[in-house]
């Protein structure tokens, strides 16, 4: 039933509770849809279909017995491969981890299960979620459902593709460098990166142990609607909605910046949005504090210790692997156990590793900047693009961000800002380009003011554009 594939998690949960659909009917609809689509898109890395069907039957029995149920009772969801799910492997795309079955759920997964969600599968990522192109030696490449020749982004690329084609009601992603926002933008879905320390990262692999990187990590929904992103955030943070007056906020929407590429179609959609906003809200085009330094700081923070902590988990026994040798080996023979994207990124981390003196400077800047940023965003909301253009052909985005020429300084400013300062960011589509590929926008605020960006996102869904499911793979 196509309506099931179109419905968001909030709608499906209500229909299941009201017995309009059974959980088994909904779960089977999603599974059958994924079995058709996955051979082309390759978004599911490992399925959980048989267990999910049994859990759906149990969910229906629970309703028949009038037992208490959670907010997502009987609703099928998908989970990015970086999160532990009890009874499933968390591989990070590494061949040697394919049989490493996890005994416990990640804390975020456990919270969703407690609300009655049913996990139908785990979704593909780049190797160790270490870059923004979803490809690895274990599960292969994920393709954009709107155009298979294009990238889904990463690292939550499998999630982005799956939600775009309606493969689950909602999904769970994580973001330390655009990993929710790139796939949301590329695939035309809603994504929410939570703010610093708002959602538990226990059970997220690889676990982030460096404090300056941990502050950049956000976990949240990849969804069909803003209301689902809000619901997921409430579940994951254990919070209730904190209502704010959106009219009390000033909206900051900088014009196109010199030195930062922005395709004319993306810029045109941003200007359409500006014209709509200015009729109802107070609008300014200033740059927020530290915006111009964001991309450099992000790269340096991601290069702390030269990514040696990543190299240590490339093998079961922790034996050292040389990224340069593995890169050459893969390029020449295709026989490395590691995708060349990972090896090249590790080489880059060694090159861009900040010195101890520079790291001390960054830490001081972050301490001072955190106070300034918090004060600045106390009554402001920032709206900026996600990337300079829609989903590109496979490999182009990776080449722009991981170039030895440091072109990340040109291409990462929009993405890096929310990570560096640990700010919540809501991404949602605002239109498409001339090829029909989705284009997204980010709405960013202070931690604690999330209701403001959810309200603004819901306004945008009504006034400009909302999620449209890719129906190419329907029966």
């Amino acid at each position: 039933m196509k309506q099931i594939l179109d419905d968001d998690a909030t709608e499906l949960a209500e229909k299941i509770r009201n017995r309009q659909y059974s959980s088994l009917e909904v779960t089977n609809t999603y599974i059958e849809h994924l079995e058709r689509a996955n051979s082309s898109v390759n978004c599911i890395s490992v399925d959980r279909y048989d267990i999910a069907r049994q859990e759906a039957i149990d969910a229906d029995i629970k309703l028949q017995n009038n037992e208490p149920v959670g907010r997502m009772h009987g609703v099928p969801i998908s989970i990015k491969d970086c999160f532990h799910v009890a009874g499933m492997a968390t591989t990070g795309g590494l061949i040697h981890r394919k049989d490493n079955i996890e005994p416990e759920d990640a804390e975020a997964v456990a919270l969703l299960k407690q609300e009655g969600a049913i996990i139908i599968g785990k979704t593909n990522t780049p190797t160790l979620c270490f870059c923004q192109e979803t490809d690895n030696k274990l599960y292969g490449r994920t393709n954009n459902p709107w155009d298979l020749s294009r990238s889904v982004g990463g690292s939550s690329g499998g999630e982005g593709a799956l939600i775009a084609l309606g493969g689950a009601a909602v999904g769970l992603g994580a973001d330390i460098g655009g990993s929710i926002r790139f796939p949301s933008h590329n695939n035309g879905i809603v994504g929410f990166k939570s703010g610093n320390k708002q959602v538990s990262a226990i059970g997220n692999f690889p676990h982030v142990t460096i404090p300056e990187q941990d502050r950049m990590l956000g976990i949240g929904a990849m969804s069909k609607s803003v209301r689902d992103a809000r619901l997921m955030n409430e579940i994951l943070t254990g919070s209730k909605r904190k209502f704010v007056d959106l009219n009390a906020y000033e909206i900051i929407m900088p014009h196109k910046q010199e030195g930062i590429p922005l395709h004319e179609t993306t810029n045109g959609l941003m200007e359409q949005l500006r014209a709509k906003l200015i009729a109802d809200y107070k609008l300014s085009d200033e740059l927020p504090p530290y915006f111009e330094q964001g991309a450099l700081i992000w790269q340096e923070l991601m290069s702390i210790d030269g990514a040696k902590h990543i190299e240590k988990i490339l093998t079961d026994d922790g034996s050292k692997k040389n990224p340069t040798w593995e890169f050459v080996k893969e390029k020449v023979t295709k026989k490395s156990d590691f995708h060349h994207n990972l090896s090249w990124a590790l080489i880059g981390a060694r090159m861009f590793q900040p010195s101890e003196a520079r790291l001390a400077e960054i830490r001081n800047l972050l301490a001072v900047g955190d106070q300034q940023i918090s004060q600045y965003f106390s009554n402001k909301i920032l709206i900026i693009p996600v990337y300079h253009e829609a989903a590109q052909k496979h490999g182009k985005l990776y080449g722009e961000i991981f170039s030895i020429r440091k072109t990340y300084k040109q291409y990462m400013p929009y993405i890096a800002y929310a990570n560096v300062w640990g700010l919540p960011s809501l991404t949602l589509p605002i239109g498409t380009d001339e090829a029909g590929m989705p284009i997204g926008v980010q709405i960013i605020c202070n931690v604690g003011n999330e209701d403001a960006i959810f309200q603004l996102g819901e306004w945008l869904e009504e006034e400009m554009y909302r999620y449209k499911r890719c129906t190419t793979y329907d029966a």
Side-chain angles (χ1 to χ4, degrees):
M1 294 175 63
K2 293 183 180 180
Q3 187 59 53
I4 289 175
L5 302 179
D6 290 333
D7 284 344
D8 66 3
T10 302
E11 183 74 15
L12 279 176
E14 182 178 354
K15 289 179 176 178
I16 290 170
R17 283 193 301 271
N18 294 337
R19 319 290 176 89
Q20 185 174 341
Y21 299 142
S22 70
S23 176
L24 181 60
E25 177 184 14
V26 172
T27 301
N28 277 330
T29 298
Y30 279 121
I31 290 172
E32 290 164 8
H33 186 50
L34 284 171
E35 286 176 335
R36 287 190 301 271
N38 200 56
S39 60
S40 298
V41 177
N42 192 32
C43 53
I44 285 280
S45 51
V46 181
D47 72 66
R48 193 173 175 269
Y49 296 158
D50 290 340
I51 298 172
R53 287 188 175 102
Q54 184 57 56
E55 289 177 352
I57 292 170
D58 294 341
D60 289 331
I61 293 172
K62 199 169 186 178
L63 279 174
Q64 291 168 11
N65 293 336
N66 295 315
E67 297 178 40
V69 297
R71 286 171 283 182
M72 296 185 69
H73 183 78
V75 175
I77 69 170
S78 49
I79 302 290
K80 181 180 179 180
D81 181 55
C82 66
F83 295 102
H84 295 333
V85 175
M88 302 184 77
T90 304
T91 68
L94 292 172
I95 294 170
H96 74 83
R97 289 185 60 90
K98 64 183 176 66
D99 297 321
N100 287 16
I101 304 303
E102 298 297 332
E104 296 181 348
D105 293 321
E107 288 196 357
V109 172
L111 289 169
L112 295 170
K113 282 186 174 182
Q114 286 170 19
E115 291 291 343
I118 294 173
I119 297 167
I120 58 176
K122 298 184 78 174
T123 52
N124 203 23
T125 71
T127 314
L128 294 175
C129 301
F130 207 65
C131 62
Q132 291 85 355
E133 287 272 7
T134 298
D135 198 351
N136 61 69
K137 291 298 293 284
L138 181 57
Y139 299 122
R141 186 181 75 188
T142 301
N143 301 312
N144 195 302
W146 296 100
D147 179 345
L148 299 178
S149 70
R150 297 181 187 247
S151 170
V152 292
S155 61
S156 311
E159 276 300 322
L162 184 144
I163 299 300
L165 59 86
V170 70
L172 180 68
D175 185 321
I176 200 171
S179 292
I180 287 173
R181 290 163 292 154
F182 272 120
S184 297
H185 164 76
N186 278 20
N187 296 281
I189 70 169
V190 176
F192 180 68
K193 183 198 84 67
S194 61
N196 183 15
K197 302 290 188 181
Q198 298 304 293
V199 178
S200 170
I202 294 175
N204 176 62
F205 175 81
H207 184 61
V208 181
T209 57
I210 297 172
E212 291 81 9
Q213 294 178 358
D214 186 48
R215 63 179 276 131
M216 299 200 293
L217 178 65
I219 293 167
M222 301 185 71
S223 63
K224 303 171 185 175
S225 66
V226 173
R227 67 178 181 176
D228 275 6
R230 183 200 297 274
L231 171 63
M232 288 276 283
N233 190 56
E234 290 175 359
I235 292 170
L236 296 172
T237 59
S239 63
K240 293 183 178 180
R241 181 174 180 180
K242 175 187 172 184
F243 289 88
V244 302
D245 180 5
L246 189 56
N247 291 316
Y249 288 78
E250 179 183 5
I251 296 176
I252 308 301
M253 192 173 179
H255 284 288
K256 184 179 183 298
Q257 298 299 303
E258 184 177 350
I260 303 177
L262 196 64
H263 192 278
E264 60 181 343
T265 304
T266 307
N267 190 49
L269 287 169
M270 294 296 293
E271 292 304 313
Q272 288 179 37
L273 177 56
R274 185 190 306 275
K276 288 181 178 292
L277 286 164
I278 205 166
D280 294 324
Y281 299 103
K282 182 181 178 183
L283 209 60
S284 171
D285 67 354
E286 68 192 35
L287 279 180
Y290 301 102
F291 183 81
E292 293 168 313
Q293 298 103 305
L296 175 60
I297 296 171
W298 173 81
Q299 179 63 70
E300 290 178 309
L301 293 181
M302 290 303 295
S303 300
I304 290 177
D305 88 343
K308 292 183 179 64
H309 63 291
I310 294 293
E311 293 180 23
K312 289 178 181 177
I313 56 178
L314 292 180
T315 58
D316 267 330
D317 59 7
S319 57
K320 190 173 182 180
K321 292 289 182 179
N322 185 303
T324 303
W325 166 244
E326 295 298 335
F327 178 79
V328 173
K329 180 180 178 182
E330 179 60 20
K331 281 291 189 178
V332 174
T333 69
K334 305 292 184 187
K335 292 183 178 180
S336 171
D337 285 342
F338 314 111
H339 196 283
H340 64 267
N341 283 354
L342 174 67
S343 301
W344 182 251
L346 293 175
I347 293 169
R350 288 183 173 186
M351 293 174 59
F352 301 140
Q353 180 179 356
S355 66
E356 286 300 318
R358 173 57 181 162
L359 188 53
E361 286 180 12
I362 295 172
R363 286 170 174 158
N364 182 64
L365 184 151
L366 293 175
V368 173
D370 280 342
Q371 297 181 28
Q372 295 179 10
I373 292 289
S374 179
Q375 182 176 1
Y376 180 82
F377 280 104
S378 62
N379 64 343
K380 292 181 172 67
I381 297 171
L382 175 65
I383 298 181
I384 52 177
V386 178
Y387 207 55
H388 66 97
E389 61 184 348
Q392 303 163 322
K393 297 293 185 181
H394 289 292
K396 184 180 179 185
L397 181 148
Y398 186 86
E400 290 176 346
I401 296 176
F402 289 91
S403 169
I404 197 170
R405 295 178 291 112
K406 299 184 179 182
T407 51
Y408 67 83
K409 293 181 180 180
Q410 297 171 260
Y411 294 109
M412 281 297 289
Y414 294 127
I415 282 289
Y417 193 75
N419 289 117
V420 168
W421 300 109
L423 299 173
S425 177
L426 176 69
T427 294
L428 64 166
I430 56 172
T432 60
D433 68 5
E434 57 278 3
M437 299 304 295
I439 292 174
V441 68
Q442 293 183 81
I443 311 175
I444 298 170
C445 71
N446 246 356
V447 170
N449 293 349
E450 289 85 355
D451 189 59
I453 58 174
F454 288 136
Q455 283 190 46
L456 190 56
E458 289 171 334
W459 176 91
L460 194 153
E461 284 180 318
E462 293 297 324
E463 295 293 329
M464 191 162 181
Y465 196 88
R466 65 171 62 243
Y467 164 89
K468 293 178 174 60
R469 186 172 65 82
C470 177
T471 60
T472 304
Y473 309 93
D474 290 5

